[in-house]
Amino acid sequence: MTGPHSTPARQRRDRTPIVLGIVAGVLAVVVGVTLTIALTRDGSPETAPSPRPPAQTTAPDGTPSAEPTAPDEEPAGVQLSATGFALVDDTGAETFAYRWSDPSEPAVAALTAAFGAAPEQRTEKGDGSHYPDYTVHQWPGFALYDMVVSEGGSDRDTYAQPSWIRVTANTIGEVAVTAEFGIQIGTTVDAVEAAGPDTDFERNGALRYVFAADRSSTAEETPSYSMMADTDGDAVTAILYYFYADL
């Protein structure tokens, strides 16, 4: 039966599903947003920090520089004299000094560093009396002779010639070897004679010239030698710092 009040009641019943659908939709949206926030905060991994670039060496002025390298060193020179020899740097400053009566080990080490290579070694036999055996430290063009002290033989500290040098090259590698009186390997015989040697004598078919003959002495604590120049008849082939005795 229909009456004047039946239509509003029906309309209210018809609206109920619509309202419930709207509420359900809103709740679904709210739940979705909540889950999204939760997952974003708790479930996703944090972004890893970018790795730092490797440290770079910088020069004092702030510019990048390569790995440090050893500075280039100017080769030393060897200067020969009456009482021994000295190693000098490129400014002429003395870096090592050796006297003929000094132990040879430091000299061999210093020359090895200067020449860039260790020497070959051999023994030069003496005469069993006045001339002892010598250990020869031989670089190409440079030889250091060091006496071998034997039982009952001469003592190094009192012997006139405990060590001596023979040079056959003006440079060993890049290291210049400088003798006295302006003489070097290759100096002509005429130039040697013009330099004023004290004397000369024949040896192995050619002349050996002696400079500062009166300098050979054991009067001081360190022996003092003359300088000798061997020739082949035309030019100097070897320079020796050797004790000269006018027999």
Side-chain angles (χ1 to χ4, degrees):
M1 178 176 187
T2 58
H5 300 290
S6 62
T7 300
R10 188 180 297 112
Q11 290 176 345
R12 285 195 295 269
R13 287 195 298 271
D14 293 341
R15 290 173 181 166
T16 299
I18 296 173
V19 172
L20 291 175
I22 293 171
V23 171
V26 170
L27 289 175
V29 170
V30 170
V31 170
V33 170
T34 303
L35 288 174
T36 300
I37 293 173
L39 289 173
T40 301
R41 287 181 176 177
D42 301 329
S44 60
E46 293 184 0
T47 303
S50 301
R52 293 183 179 180
Q56 189 173 30
T57 304
T58 56
D61 60 0
T63 58
S65 63
E67 288 295 322
T69 57
D72 293 335
E73 295 183 359
E74 292 294 329
V78 180
Q79 294 182 346
L80 308 177
S81 67
T83 56
F85 67 84
L87 270 64
V88 296
D89 62 19
D90 59 331
T91 67
E94 187 176 288
T95 60
F96 176 82
Y98 175 73
R99 301 180 304 170
W100 304 124
S101 57
D102 289 344
S104 64
E105 290 81 5
V108 172
L111 291 170
T112 295
F115 296 156
E120 295 182 358
Q121 292 186 351
R122 60 183 175 84
T123 299
E124 179 174 284
K125 290 294 184 180
D127 60 9
S129 177
H130 300 91
Y131 189 79
D133 293 352
Y134 282 89
T135 299
V136 184
H137 305 277
Q138 177 75 62
W139 292 267
F142 191 102
L144 171 63
Y145 291 70
D146 187 53
M147 72 176 290
V148 178
V149 178
S150 60
E151 186 177 354
S154 299
D155 185 77
R156 181 180 181 85
D157 293 334
T158 59
Y159 186 60
Q161 189 171 274
S163 62
W164 59 281
I165 279 177
R166 183 175 185 266
V167 176
T168 56
N170 294 321
T171 59
I172 291 82
E174 297 182 353
V175 180
V177 180
T178 305
E180 300 170 286
F181 308 103
I183 306 300
Q184 61 181 0
I185 305 303
T187 300
T188 65
V189 168
D190 288 344
V192 172
E193 292 178 348
D198 292 330
T199 188
D200 60 72
F201 56 92
E202 188 174 332
R203 184 177 184 275
N204 297 330
L207 289 178
R208 170 177 282 183
Y209 293 89
V210 182
F211 289 82
D214 60 352
R215 197 170 70 184
S216 287
S217 171
T218 57
E220 301 296 332
E221 181 180 351
T222 299
S224 178
Y225 297 165
S226 303
M227 190 193 88
M228 303 181 187
D230 283 347
T231 68
D232 59 5
D234 296 317
V236 174
T237 57
I239 295 172
L240 297 81
Y241 276 75
Y242 199 84
F243 193 94
Y244 174 71
D246 186 9
L247 301 177

